[in-house]
Amino acid sequence: MKLYAAGCIWVFCLAFTASPGRAQWTKSAKPTLATILTTTSMTSTTSKPTSVQPVADQHPVANPLPVAAPHPVVELLPMVINTWNFTPANAFAWRILKQSKGGLRQTRNAVVEGCSKCEKLQCDRTVGYGGSPDEMGETTLDAMVMDGSTMDVGAVAGLRRIKDAVKVARSVLEHTQHTMLVGDAASNFANAMGFKSESLTTPESKDIWLQWTAENCQPNFWRSVHPDPRVSCGPYSPQPSPLTRWKEDRARTEYEIGRKNHDTIGMIAIDVESNIHAATSTNGARHKIPGRVGDSPIPGAGAYADNEVGAAVATGDGDIMMRFLPSLLAVEAMRQGKSPAAAAEVGIRRILKHYKEFMGAVIAVDRLGNYAAACYGLKEFPFVVSSPAKPDNQTRLEKVKCIPPQEIVTIVPL
Ligand code: SD4
């Protein structure tokens, strides 16, 4: 019995010392069983996060298992990671995160300032003012900030006439007990918090809208209405809705949801103590029906963070993605011991099970800074990472190959 107990302890010690994340455990606050499992099961193929090598065990043992030679420890934290090739936003956030030795405020400042940078730069014209005009030609903004230590969230949706969406989301988090404010009322709140109102329309966004109206409002997001939305502008009135989904899938294919009309910045920052913040900002989907809200401001959909486990951010076709909460799925998969690579794929594959025509990506990061991404509907998905593990402590653009297209499955009528 004693021998058995000693054996169990010994096996545990071996597992612990051979774990790739061991080097960080001394720095990170209290690793949980979930993080132990996560770290030991990491098999990411989409990135090279596990460059930390096991340290040789010092205990005498009759038949020692082979262990790697001592290897210099590579720190993975602090880190900043974000969707798409929005490198200046990442570099800005990285500078902020490194301004001090980290700490809760720094991760919040990092993600908010990083996303805010993208809003100012109008990244790909899909973040910030002057992009994705809705059916009336107006740009409205969605954004969120989530604090992984308190699980507090601040979000805005359909924000009108205010450029600083992610900063208003932060104000919701810090100055209210609510989670999300929407539309004109969110703008009133923003004014009260000191943000100024101004038009979000630019000559470019006006041209996009004019061209769309000149082309009979094609494409659009309507279905089962009269006149036929595939050839006409509104106003529309309702028609009986078919019980099949094929029309919807066809419409989304025609719409060609992809880069340039459908991106978002989703950013995660983690400090050396594994304090995590995640944030998002977007102007949503081009030609959306006024009032439409996407996945980006929805906790669990556009982003999710939990200091105990890690965080995830998502980008893509928000109308579909928000039905599955892929960021929450990814974080929960890591909690159950999956690697970031497997966890990101869980978020994507759940959607694929139901929607074969969707485009999107999920980035998952564990609390030790190991990361991976998974995507579908594109050839590859770029993202930006800053961490001490990068050469010269630099901000780097990386890419992951997406899951190959699935066979289109015919939807059988209900
Ligand atoms: C949305 N998901 O509103 C957002 C936009 C986007 O990547 O592309 N996100 O649908």
Side-chain angles (χ1 to χ4, degrees):
M1 181 65 187
K2 262 189 198 157
L3 203 63
Y4 175 75
C8 286
I9 292 168
W10 184 240
V11 167
F12 179 78
C13 285
L14 277 177
F16 185 87
T17 50
S19 158
R22 179 179 180 260
Q24 282 84 26
W25 289 2
T26 51
K27 302 193 80 175
S28 310
K30 297 183 212 135
T32 61
L33 180 59
T35 58
I36 293 169
L37 293 173
T38 303
T39 313
T40 51
S41 67
M42 226 154 265
T43 54
S44 169
T45 51
T46 50
S47 58
K48 297 187 234 71
T50 49
S51 40
V52 178
Q53 297 297 314
V55 178
D57 194 271
Q58 300 302 315
H59 296 277
V61 59
N63 293 304
L65 295 175
V67 288
H71 195 280
V73 169
V74 179
E75 301 289 344
L76 303 179
L77 297 179
M79 71 132 32
V80 176
I81 188 166
N82 65 263
T83 54
W84 306 108
N85 58 354
F86 302 147
T87 309
N90 188 295
F92 196 63
W94 182 232
R95 268 208 300 282
I96 289 168
L97 194 61
K98 288 196 308 177
Q99 264 169 13
S100 78
K101 287 222 157 71
L104 194 55
R105 287 279 151 189
Q106 290 307 107
T107 53
R108 185 174 300 175
N109 284 340
V111 293
V112 170
E113 292 299 336
C115 291
S116 180
K117 183 83 177 171
C118 237
E119 289 169 355
K120 289 188 175 69
L121 293 173
Q122 302 171 275
C123 288
D124 272 356
R125 298 293 186 274
T126 55
V127 182
Y129 69 100
S132 305
D134 67 15
E135 288 194 333
M136 305 304 290
E138 182 179 1
T139 295
T140 59
L141 306 178
D142 295 345
M144 174 192 10
V145 183
M146 181 159 189
D147 177 340
S149 65
T150 60
M151 310 308 284
D152 283 345
V153 174
V156 287
L159 183 69
R160 307 182 68 192
R161 303 180 298 278
I162 310 278
K163 286 185 176 173
D164 301 300
V166 75
K167 289 189 174 171
V168 181
R170 177 190 188 141
S171 292
V172 174
L173 190 158
E174 293 182 352
H175 302 299
T176 81
Q177 294 179 32
H178 295 311
T179 295
M180 184 186 297
L181 298 178
V182 305
D184 273 332
S187 309
N188 294 341
F189 166 80
N191 292 149
M193 293 295 106
F195 296 93
K196 71 168 191 265
S197 287
E198 56 196 313
S199 170
L200 305 189
T201 300
T202 59
E204 190 186 346
S205 67
K206 193 170 175 191
D207 279 351
I208 292 169
W209 177 70
L210 285 173
Q211 195 182 331
W212 178 76
T213 52
E215 289 167 0
N216 288 331
C217 309
Q218 302 303 309
N220 61 61
F221 289 93
W222 293 87
R223 61 175 172 174
S224 303
V225 289
H226 179 81
D228 187 344
R230 291 170 298 184
V231 290
S232 313
C233 292
Y236 305 108
S237 56
Q239 290 288 290
S241 173
L243 289 175
T244 56
R245 192 196 283 152
W246 70 269
K247 282 193 177 174
E248 178 192 39
D249 282 346
R250 202 169 80 171
R252 295 195 90 81
T253 312
E254 284 163 1
Y255 186 63
E256 286 179 9
I257 287 161
R259 295 213 63 197
K260 304 292 176 196
N261 66 6
H262 224 285
D263 290 358
T264 261
I265 185 163
M267 179 179 278
I268 298 164
I270 313 181
D271 70 12
V272 293
E273 292 171 346
S274 290
N275 290 306
I276 309 174
H277 270 85
T280 60
S281 183
T282 185
N283 50 33
R286 193 184 284 188
H287 312 311
K288 59 192 172 187
I289 299 171
R292 179 264 191 193
V293 173
D295 60 320
S296 304
I298 310 294
Y304 201 72
D306 183 342
N307 280 11
E308 280 186 6
V309 179
V313 287
T315 176
D317 183 350
D319 289 304
I320 301 297
M321 297 182 83
M322 67 196 292
R323 299 170 191 176
F324 299 91
L325 303 182
S327 295
L328 177 68
L329 285 178
V331 169
E332 293 311 304
M334 290 191 286
R335 196 191 304 278
Q336 287 160 16
K338 287 208 183 325
S339 68
E345 222 175 290
V346 164
I348 294 293
R349 288 206 182 271
R350 177 70 62 86
I351 302 169
L352 263 182
K353 208 170 132 186
H354 302 272
Y355 294 93
K356 313 293 173 193
E357 294 294 310
F358 113 99
M359 187 284 294
V362 173
I363 295 175
V365 190
D366 72 19
R367 64 188 289 281
L368 301 179
N370 297 291
Y371 61 88
C375 49
Y376 185 80
L378 301 157
K379 259 196 178 153
E380 50 188 27
F381 168 65
F383 55 97
V384 189
V385 190
S386 291
S387 100
K390 299 292 138 199
D392 304 324
N393 231 345
Q394 291 293 325
T395 298
R396 265 186 48 160
L397 180 63
E398 301 192 9
K399 283 178 184 168
V400 60
K401 285 210 181 318
C402 296
I403 297 167
Q406 310 268 307
E407 262 178 39
I408 308 280
V409 174
T410 314
I411 307 286
V412 183
L414 294 176

